[in-house]
């Protein structure tokens, strides 16, 4: 139903913005819809992540074009670009990259503000809901498009009483681009 | 799950914005989800409208506070405020109000741009889908909160080959505020 990302991105006017509350309410609607569709909260978490993944693989093209950056070479650089450029561009928030593992394959993106969750309070029966899981999926999808297979999961969540939102990234594979691109025509 | 609108609106920073493509993709996800949930397109249209209605009754508070306007007196004024102030504030588009019926109870909001539908193409099997029906619901919900019961339906849709988006508004009842507000405490 949606045209392919790159074509759409080229046609789009530069960085249009819309009101964040409309977005927050729209996102809230989809979470509610998924909860009513799937009784199992774990399944809702999965669906939100998958939805984000589908968005991430589209958004990366717009991001690379608008930010005028080429593909990131290291996981370390990439995490910084996500935190300091991609999140500000798309969600109007920024994150800090912290808690690097000694082998530089794991880090955390820490947010203290999150428009996805504005005005949201989780009732007790939804304690296991990863309300912002779409963002974990977006990051996974976007990084996959730059050849980094990562696992993303929320380890802190202000909706569950933590003092920040902490998304843990774990690099599982960084594939080299061994082959030159080939057009499909 | 969401806190009440007015409280949330007061706490919100002034008119935060986010990237429109993120919104467009999020909205696309919810349409896809509803299509996979309900086989019947007419039911999807209804769900989108209901989702919009729930958003409209929340957004009206933020709008009235931010636009610094009091409640509109006539349906005619109200339609202009929706077209020239509310749509620009929330969706970053404006509309023209046209095609008034002689008795001033019906008019059309005409949009030529619509971020909900960016990058969208409807396959033939979804010809009956009112992709943007959320907006019909938002307008209905918001106007209900200012005591105007309206019927809103899309009569032209660029996704179906028309040359504009035309949302037809029909005023069914304009209730006076006969009683002073009473707090519930």
């Amino acid at each position: 139903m949606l045209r392919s990302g790159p074509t759409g991105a080229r046609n789009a006017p530069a960085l249009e913005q819309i009101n964040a509350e409309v977005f927050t309410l729209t996102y809230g609607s989809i979470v509610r819809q998924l909860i009513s569709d799937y009784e199992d909260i774990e399944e809702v978490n999965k669906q939100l992540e998958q939805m984000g993944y589908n968005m991430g693989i589209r958004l990366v093209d717009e991001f690379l074009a608008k930010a005028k950056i080429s593909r990131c070479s290291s996981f370390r650089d990439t995490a910084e670009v996500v935190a300091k450029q991609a999140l500000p561009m798309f969600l109007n928030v920024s994150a800090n990259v912290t808690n690097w593992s000694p082998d530089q394959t794991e880090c955390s993106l820490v947010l203290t503000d999150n428009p996805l969750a504005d005005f949201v309070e989780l009732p007790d029966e939804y304690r296991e809901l990863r309300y912002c899981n779409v963002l974990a999926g977006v990051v996974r999808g976007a990084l996959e498009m730059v050849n980094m297979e990562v696992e993303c999961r929320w380890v802190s969540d202000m909706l569950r009483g933590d003092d920040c939102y902490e998304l843990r990234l774990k690099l599982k594979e960084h594939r080299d681009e061994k082959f030159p691109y080939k057009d499909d025509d």
Side-chain angles (χ1 to χ4, degrees), chain A residues 113-127:
Chain A
D113 183 26
N114 186 343
L116 288 171
D118 273 346
F119 323 124
V120 175
E121 280 174 3
L122 285 191
D124 279 347
E125 67 262 40
Y126 298 138
R127 274 193 60 80

Side-chain angles (χ1 to χ4, degrees), chain A residues 129-159:
Chain A
L129 179 65
R130 300 292 180 268
Y131 189 89
C132 304
N133 231 19
V134 69
L135 196 52
V138 167
V139 172
R140 180 170 72 88
L143 294 195
E144 186 171 298
M145 297 302 280
V146 294
N147 297 315
M148 292 178 193
E149 194 184 327
V150 293
E151 196 179 277
C152 296
R153 65 194 169 89
W154 291 102
V155 293
S156 298
D157 185 338
M158 291 173 81
L159 293 180

Side-chain angles (χ1 to χ4, degrees), chain A residues 22-41:
Chain A
V22 168
F23 170 70
T24 304
L25 290 177
T26 303
Y27 184 66
S29 296
I30 204 168
V31 177
R32 276 169 189 275
Q33 183 67 36
L34 290 170
I35 289 174
S36 85
D37 289 349
Y38 303 96
E39 308 228 330
D40 179 15
I41 293 294

Side-chain angles (χ1 to χ4, degrees), chain A residues 99-106 168:
Chain A
N99 299 337
W100 280 98
S101 63
D103 65 355
Q104 308 280 303
T105 62
E106 289 190 38
R168 190 77 185 152

